[in-house]
Each structure stands twice: as C-alpha cells, then as structure tokens.
Amino acid sequence: MRDIKKNFWEQEKYKQFIEYIEKEIDSGSAEIDDYLYLGLAYLVLGEEETAQLIWLSAIAEHEDYDVVNDLVTLLSSEAERLACNDKLKEAWVIYNHIREFAPDNISNLLNIINIATKLELLSEDFNEIAQAIELLKTHNIDIDTTLLLKTVEQVLSIPEQHSLDFAEACSPFLNLQQWADLLTTKAAYFGFERKLTYFSLALVELCLKYQPNNLIALNFLPRFHTDCRHYKEAVKTAKDFYLNSDSQENLFYASCILLNALGNAGDWNEIPIISAKLKSIISEIVESGSTQLSLDFIRFLIVNTGFLLYLKDDFSNRTLQNQVSHLFLKNIQSNAKRLHQPKTISLASPEKRLKIGYIASTLREHSVGWLSRWLFQNHNREEFEIYIYLVQQLPENLFFNEWFRDKVDHFRYLPNEVDKAAQIIEDDQLNILVDLDSVTLDQTCTILALKPAPVQVTWLGFDASGLPTIDYFIADPYVLPEDAQKYYQEKIWRLPHTYVAVDGFETGIPSLRRSDLDIPENAIVYWSSQGGFKRNPETIRLQMKILKGVPNSYFMIKGSGDPDTLHDIFTSIAQEEGVEAERLKFLPRSADEYTHRANLHLADIVLDTFPYTGATTTLETLWAGIPLVTRVGQQFSARNSYAFLMNVGATEGLAWTDEEYIDWGIRFGTDSQLRKDVTYKLHQAKNSSCLWNTKEFTLEMEKAYREMWNIYVKNNIK
C-alpha cells in the first residue's frame, strides 16, 4: 500500500481512503489489494452490502489470483487488530464476513465463538458451536491450541449441553490435564458460587470420563450429587472414592466426602466408623504440625471438623477444632503472599462513627439471612457506619438483595482471591469485622486469618472457629455453660440476655391438612423438621419411646435427606420399639419457608434433635406457640433450644437426661392442660421476651461493639 493510502488507513480516515481508492479504480491504476481494502473500509463504516459486492466483484474478475485467501488474510489481520484494541463487536462483524468466504476455517470460527460468548451474541440455536464441533470431529485439521483452550473456557461460561459437547469435542486437541483442570475449575464456580449444581455435576462427570482418577473431580462428584438430591449416587460415588484411596491425604478427602454424603442422606449405619477414622486422621495431621500443607488441603481441613458436633456432646470437639484452626493459620501465614497488618487507624476518634463490617456467604435464603436481618434493620446509623462483605455471592443470588443493601452504608461483593478480598476490607479501615460464617466456608476463614480488621468477632453462623485471629465469640448466659471459656480460643463475650433476637417470622398459606395424611383431628401430632445429619438414631429411639407412651399419636417427619433412607431408619427403629409404621408421616419438602411455617401449625408438640439441636427451627416453633421438648447438652450446638426456652421463660420441655426427654414428650402428649399453659406462656412472651425484642438486642450488640473497641484502644495506646 502506497504511503498516502497507508496514512489514511492507519489514521482510520476511512472516507478519505475510499475516495482515494475509487479515484485509482477510475484511472485504472488500482491493484487487487485496493479492492480488498476498499471493501474493508466500507465494512468498517457499516456498509456491509457494499463491501460484499466489492469483494465478490474482485473474486469474479481476478480468477487467476487466490483472492479469497488474500481477503481472509486481510480480514483476519484487521479483526485481530480490533480485538486487541477491545473493539470486540467490530472484530466479531469482520470474523463473520470471513465465515462467508471460508466457512471451514476453524480458527476464524473459534474467534467468532470466543467473542460472541463474551458479548452474548451467539445465535439462539448455537449453530456456531455446532459447526465447530463438526469440524473438530474430523480430527485432521490444523488448530491453534491456545485459541482453542481460550474458547473452551469462554464457552463453558454458558451452562448448556452445547457447552459440554463442545468441550468434549476439543479434548483430543488439548493437553488432557489442562482440559481437566478447566472443567473442574468451572464445576467449582457453577456449583459453589452460581449454585447450578446440575451443570457442575455434568462437568465433573465429563472430566472423569477421560480422567477417571482425577482427585478434584472425585472430590466434587458426591458433593454435587448431594446438592442435586441424588443421595444414593452421592453415597455410592463417595464410597468408591473412599475404598480406592491409597494415601493419607486422599483418605482424608474421601472420609470427609463420604461422611458428608452419608450424613446428608440420613444414612447413619456407617457414620460412627467413618467419623472415628476421620477423627484419627485429623489428629495425626494436627500432631505433625506441618506448615507445608497445600492451601487446598488446609482449607478443606478447617471446614470438615464440624461433623463432630452432630455425633457427640463433648467439649473435646472444641479442643480438636482449636488445634486445627491453629494449624490452618500457620499454613495460611506460611503460604500468604503477604501477611496483613491492618493500617494504622485513629484510636481516639469519639466524634466518628464506629465502622462495623459483616462478612458472610449466607445473607440469602439461609438461617443466617433470616435471623441477622433484624440487627441490620435496627442499627443506629448515626453512631455506626455499617459495611456488608459478601463472599461467594453473585448479585442475583442475594437473599433480599436490595433489602440488605438499603440497610447499610457500604455493600461489597468480595473477589474469590482472598488476598484481594482482605485488601478491600483493610482499605476500608474498619474498627470491627463480624464473621457470620465461622467454619462453614473456607474462603471466609482464610480472609479472617489474614486479619484485615483490628478487632474480629464471630457471631451467629456456627460454633466458634478457633482461629487465633478472632478476638471474640458472641454468646449469652445460657448457650454456653459457665466454665466454657477454658475450651475456647476466642474470648467469649456474653450478652446479658440472648445472643440473637428476631421480630417474628412471616407465614404463608398451609399446603397440608391432617386429613391429607390420614391423621384424625383428635390425634396428638409430634413434629420434627431437620436435616439428615441431625437424625441421630439414638434420639430417634427416644422419640419412638414417646410415641409408644402416647396412644393415638402420630409423628410428622420433615427435612432434607434421601426419602428411602429416612423412611427405613425411622420405621426400623419404630418396629424395634413397638410403634406401628402407619403412625409415622413423612412430609414432602415445602415450596418455601413461608409454607413450611404455615404447615408447622399442624403440630401439637415439636421434638428436638440431639446432640445438635434446632436453632432457626426452634425459634419458628416458639413463635408459633408450640411446646418443644429438647435435650440439653454442654456444647454450643446442644444448647440453642435451651437458651431460647430460657429467654421466653418456658422451662417446660427442658430435659437434662434421656429419661427426662421421654418423660416430657409423654407428659405433653397426654396432658392437654400442660400444652395449653405452655402455648399461652409462649404467646405472652411475644410481648415481653428479649428473644422477640430486636431493638433492645441491637442496643446490646452496639454496646458490646463499643466496649470491644474501647478495650482495643486501651491496649494499644502507647
């Protein structure tokens, strides 16, 4: 291209370029390239039909030249230039014109797919992907594997069968390990962040088709089966992984996964054996004191000790949890790119609002979401500047998204990279960061281990994590016994009355009647609504003894788990205790929480689980005015119901032994006046109990925050 034309082109003066070329054509001095560039200039200006006519004319008039090849080369170069300059839509238009002249050019088709996926421009029938799959199936094409891998990554952002088909068609051309790593990475994203577990399951199954021993995929498979409620498949695949584990690390993963699969299914036959093995492995890992554990391994470790709370009410669980958390912190610090040292902030600033941040993955349709919202609603925004930090949450997945956003001053979605997430929190210069996840999410634990705030507190989500970087654990006078401090790494901060309060629960329309379940209207109905992990057979046996002691009584059983497994465990224990199977009524899952709460009114008495008692389910029960029987233990998870009953002033139903649990259950079932008295007491408590007074509770929490900060200031003024 001569200098004058080149200048016009490089300066993107396309109209001047067109005028110049057309004069050359009229004078007869134009070359073939001039026609090709002329068409491209018209295309850039949006005159696609004119461009096509010019190119077709050039092809027809110069049959002795390979015009098509030259045209494709020119258009490819220009499209690549535009794409590098982030002009993706313009590049996509050019790539599509190349497709007209070279439909079987696989690199061009991949570029089209790549950009179209980013810009959501793929055709409704995904014909671009279908054509690429057909070309890839020939296996005798020359292909840019870097471009191919990048395109697979883009396509797998679309949770469709076409994406899976495309990924499989690409597998023969790619490094198998890179390909498998991409599938498992996408599976984690869709399963844990997007909650599209059906697609994650398909990705993992595709990976295992070509890499049957892929550790990550074998790890994910039972978890995604469980999330899809394929409980039997989850247990089967977890057992396969467990039986084929040939190292301590693999056996640790496999034991955790199998235990979770069994617990979620409600299959308790093997849980004691597997849990004992897992506890032994964890103890060996802790005793090693290694600071060379991989980040993936140590993060998996910290969130898989909570299973102990479901098995036995024993404070030795806390000892092991604390040891694991210490080891976790050492390894995080050993692997961290940098150790966070919070920026110096003003210690004496009474005129400023205290900055309080809340970090969680659970501010959605989750117990933490339901229970914590009242604190956000009542916070004194004149004295406290409130932040929310969401972990592993997409905007569209947030429970009451706009509701929470409107109740705080700052609302942030944290990135997956924990260093970046911790930096965001640190830059906000909080006074106090409140952890709502505890050990339910490894990402939150890792962020908190980096200590992005000077004072860090755990509240509500679970028992305390045991992390040395957490300063306080919020409790009350009842939910932990008086001597509990010796078992905790964190300082137990006891609020004066209750560690949580709600303003009640919204209730919908019932979807069930007693007649739907063949239960007489004059029958006594017991109720239990919990997940499979809480269905300890020892407690089920106590519940069957209660039913046996109350004629004309029935038991409504509701909750997550494999329906067949749940049915088998209850009916087998009922048979052993002499209770007819017809008296057990297994309820389907409710459409939502509102319907669940409405159906709860079918019950006369709720029977709690042990050693992991109800929390949200107990609060819903008490708000509905239904008597509750609960077995009281020592650890946090065994005392929630006890704490709530104490705070509403209803000690009826509190059992300190198995015998008392049975006795209270029978007394409630046979004494209608006792039920009426307790129901009246519960309804009266709505007007007086601190459990239902969220404004008073918020004042107590805010007072605690001020005192925590004052302690920090006092300890750090030099």
Side-chain angles (χ1 to χ4, degrees):
M1 192 185 298
R2 290 182 290 276
D3 289 344
I4 189 167
K5 292 188 290 184
K6 184 178 180 180
N7 290 337
F8 281 144
W9 187 262
E10 291 180 348
Q11 295 175 29
E12 298 184 356
K13 295 180 178 180
Y14 299 118
K15 291 183 178 179
Q16 292 93 321
F17 180 86
I18 290 171
E19 291 175 3
Y20 189 90
I21 295 296
E22 288 181 341
K23 287 180 181 178
E24 288 206 337
I25 291 174
D26 291 340
S27 68
S29 59
E31 300 173 354
I32 295 176
D33 282 355
D34 291 331
Y35 287 92
L36 303 186
Y37 272 101
L38 179 63
L40 180 55
Y42 274 110
L43 179 61
V44 171
L45 292 176
E47 298 185 38
E48 296 186 36
E49 291 185 7
T50 303
Q52 286 278 9
L53 288 173
I54 292 171
W55 290 330
L56 291 173
S57 175
I59 292 170
E61 292 179 12
H62 299 86
E63 294 181 356
D64 51 337
Y65 289 93
D66 191 355
V67 179
V68 171
N69 185 61
D70 290 346
L71 177 60
V72 168
T73 301
L74 170 63
L75 294 181
S76 297
S77 177
E78 180 62 15
E80 184 178 349
R81 184 186 70 82
L82 290 169
C84 289
N85 291 323
D86 290 328
K87 296 183 178 181
L88 298 182
K89 182 67 177 293
E90 293 87 343
W92 176 77
V93 170
I94 294 177
Y95 283 130
N96 273 285
H97 277 279
I98 296 173
R99 190 180 179 193
E100 296 292 328
F101 295 103
D104 293 340
N105 185 318
I106 185 65
S107 293
N108 183 69
L109 194 53
L110 293 176
N111 281 314
I112 290 174
I113 294 169
N114 205 347
I115 295 176
T117 305
K118 290 179 182 177
L119 301 182
E120 299 183 355
L121 293 172
L122 283 172
S123 56
E124 291 185 6
D125 58 359
F126 300 98
N127 73 74
E128 305 95 331
I129 293 177
Q131 184 186 353
I133 291 173
E134 288 304 311
L135 289 173
L136 290 165
K137 285 180 179 179
T138 65
H139 285 206
N140 59 355
I141 54 176
D142 185 26
I143 196 163
D144 179 349
T145 55
T146 301
L147 174 61
L148 184 63
L149 185 64
K150 183 170 68 172
T151 307
V152 175
E153 183 175 7
Q154 283 296 328
V155 170
L156 286 178
S157 65
I158 305 172
E160 297 281 353
Q161 182 62 44
H162 298 82
S163 304
L164 298 168
D165 295 341
F166 179 72
E168 184 167 15
C170 293
S171 61
F173 302 92
L174 297 170
N175 174 282
L176 187 58
Q177 190 57 56
Q178 281 187 315
W179 177 82
D181 289 346
L182 181 57
L183 292 182
T184 54
T185 298
K186 289 292 185 180
Y189 167 71
F190 280 106
F192 304 134
E193 295 186 47
R194 293 284 301 278
K195 311 303 179 187
L196 297 176
T197 47
Y198 70 92
F199 188 63
S200 295
L201 182 58
L203 286 166
V204 166
E205 289 175 333
L206 177 58
C207 177
L208 291 171
K209 180 178 178 180
Y210 292 88
Q211 276 199 339
N213 296 317
N214 186 291
L215 180 62
I216 298 175
L218 288 170
N219 178 337
F220 285 163
L221 186 61
R223 299 166 74 178
F224 293 144
H225 270 307
T226 296
D227 290 343
C228 291
R229 299 177 192 166
H230 305 160
Y231 297 106
K232 289 184 175 64
E233 291 89 340
V235 171
K236 180 183 181 302
T237 53
K239 282 184 178 178
D240 290 343
F241 185 25
Y242 180 82
L243 294 173
N244 289 287
S245 297
D246 55 2
S247 67
Q248 185 191 54
E249 182 172 316
N250 284 2
L251 189 58
F252 165 71
Y253 281 122
S255 300
C256 292
I257 292 163
L258 178 54
L259 193 61
N260 276 284
L262 292 168
N264 284 309
D267 183 352
W268 276 77
N269 290 331
E270 297 176 76
I271 282 180
I273 298 172
I274 304 300
S275 62
K277 180 65 176 176
L278 181 54
K279 187 173 182 179
S280 174
I281 294 172
I282 293 174
S283 296
E284 289 176 14
I285 294 169
V286 168
E287 288 173 10
S288 75
S290 174
T291 57
Q292 303 303 313
L293 301 173
S294 72
L295 284 177
D296 287 340
F297 183 85
I298 198 68
R299 290 173 67 168
F300 196 81
L301 176 64
I302 196 169
V303 295
N304 278 284
T305 50
F307 75 93
L308 295 168
L309 302 178
Y310 296 93
L311 303 174
K312 188 177 181 181
D313 178 42
D314 188 343
F315 265 127
S316 67
N317 297 336
R318 286 267 10 122
T319 302
L320 186 59
Q321 179 67 60
N322 292 340
Q323 291 171 340
V324 166
S325 295
H326 274 266
L327 186 64
F328 173 83
L329 180 62
K330 287 181 181 178
N331 277 270
I332 291 299
Q333 291 177 338
S334 175
N335 285 278
K337 294 178 181 177
R338 61 182 181 82
L339 298 182
H340 270 69
Q341 296 297 328
K343 295 178 181 178
T344 302
I345 61 178
S346 175
L347 297 179
S349 52
E351 75 284 354
K352 293 184 179 180
R353 296 185 294 170
L354 275 184
K355 291 185 174 185
I356 310 296
Y358 294 87
I359 182 170
S361 64
T362 45
L363 294 180
R364 46 186 170 84
E365 291 188 78
H366 184 281
S367 291
V368 172
W370 289 111
L371 303 184
S372 66
R373 54 191 170 139
W374 307 109
L375 178 61
F376 290 103
Q377 176 171 289
N378 293 311
H379 257 314
N380 183 340
R381 301 276 288 280
E382 293 182 0
E383 296 186 18
F384 295 87
E385 187 175 352
I386 308 301
Y387 295 71
I388 280 181
Y389 301 98
L390 290 182
V391 184
Q392 283 195 359
Q393 285 295 310
L394 295 177
E396 61 267 27
N397 289 342
L398 179 65
F399 166 59
F400 284 169
N401 188 337
E402 295 306 319
W403 189 95
F404 275 106
R405 188 188 298 274
D406 290 344
K407 301 298 182 295
V408 299
D409 299 280
H410 309 278
F411 192 87
R412 314 213 192 287
Y413 294 98
L414 294 180
N416 289 332
E417 299 85 353
V418 291
D419 272 350
K420 293 180 180 177
Q423 187 65 60
I424 289 170
I425 298 171
E426 182 178 316
D427 288 344
D428 284 333
Q429 295 197 322
L430 299 178
N431 298 102
I432 298 172
L433 178 61
V434 184
D435 160 36
L436 300 180
D437 284 345
S438 186
V439 291
T440 59
L441 186 67
D442 61 335
Q443 189 172 339
T444 309
C445 290
T446 310
I447 293 169
L448 291 163
L450 297 176
K451 192 71 171 177
V455 178
Q456 298 190 153
V457 183
T458 292
W459 172 60
L460 192 60
F462 200 67
D463 202 347
S465 67
L467 272 174
T469 55
I470 303 293
D471 302 284
Y472 299 104
F473 178 50
I474 300 290
D476 62 31
Y478 311 109
V479 77
L480 288 174
E482 292 181 3
D483 65 343
Q485 183 60 67
K486 61 185 176 183
Y487 301 106
Y488 280 82
Q489 163 71 39
E490 304 86 346
K491 172 70 176 176
I492 297 173
W493 192 287
R494 294 183 190 266
L495 298 179
H497 304 296
T498 178
Y499 81 94
V500 66
V502 298
D503 272 351
F505 295 94
E506 302 88 341
T507 301
I509 299 173
S511 62
L512 290 172
R513 297 180 180 180
R514 289 193 176 195
S515 58
D516 297 329
L517 301 167
D518 295 325
I519 297 176
E521 288 300 320
N522 65 343
I524 298 299
V525 174
Y526 293 94
W527 173 287
S528 176
S529 177
Q530 297 293 351
F533 245 126
K534 293 186 179 182
R535 300 291 188 187
N536 193 305
E538 295 177 10
T539 303
I540 294 176
R541 191 170 300 280
L542 301 181
Q543 293 166 343
M544 294 305 103
K545 290 180 183 294
I546 292 171
L547 252 68
K548 186 177 181 180
V550 181
N552 195 30
S553 65
Y554 293 79
F555 194 17
M556 290 188 177
I557 303 158
K558 181 177 179 291
S560 60
D562 177 58
D564 294 336
T565 302
L566 200 63
H567 181 273
D568 290 347
I569 191 172
F570 271 94
T571 53
S572 63
I573 295 176
Q575 184 178 15
E576 292 170 7
E577 295 298 329
V579 175
E580 301 87 345
E582 294 76 17
R583 294 167 66 187
L584 307 181
K585 303 296 180 179
F586 298 90
L587 305 186
R589 294 175 67 95
S590 300
D592 49 47
E593 287 84 359
Y594 311 105
T595 306
H596 159 73
R597 294 172 195 144
N599 290 337
L600 179 59
H601 288 276
L602 291 170
D604 295 300
I605 307 109
V606 170
L607 299 179
D608 204 0
T609 49
F610 186 83
Y612 204 118
T613 66
T616 304
T617 52
T618 294
L619 289 170
E620 291 170 333
T621 297
L622 301 182
W623 183 256
I626 301 171
L628 174 80
V629 179
T630 187
R631 171 83 160 79
V632 187
Q634 292 297 303
Q635 60 191 10
F636 177 85
S637 58
R639 295 172 69 93
N640 273 290
S641 295
Y642 162 63
F644 299 154
L645 281 171
M646 292 297 290
N647 274 305
V648 294
T651 57
E652 299 87 347
L654 290 176
W656 295 89
T657 65
D658 291 348
E659 292 73 23
E660 288 184 10
Y661 184 90
I662 297 169
D663 182 58
W664 274 117
I666 294 174
R667 286 177 62 187
F668 272 126
T670 55
D671 189 338
S672 61
Q673 188 58 49
L674 175 63
R675 295 197 302 274
K676 290 178 183 178
D677 290 345
V678 172
T679 295
Y680 176 78
K681 186 180 291 188
L682 293 176
H683 284 307
Q684 288 297 108
K686 290 183 179 181
N687 300 316
S688 58
S689 172
C690 58
L691 199 62
W692 315 122
N693 190 336
T694 61
K695 291 183 178 178
E696 179 183 340
F697 170 74
T698 302
L699 291 174
E700 295 295 348
M701 283 287 279
E702 291 176 342
K703 180 181 178 183
Y705 291 154
R706 290 190 192 93
E707 292 178 3
M708 290 174 187
W709 182 246
N710 288 337
I711 291 171
Y712 178 82
V713 171
K714 181 179 179 181
N715 291 338
N716 286 273
I717 290 179
K718 298 180 181 179

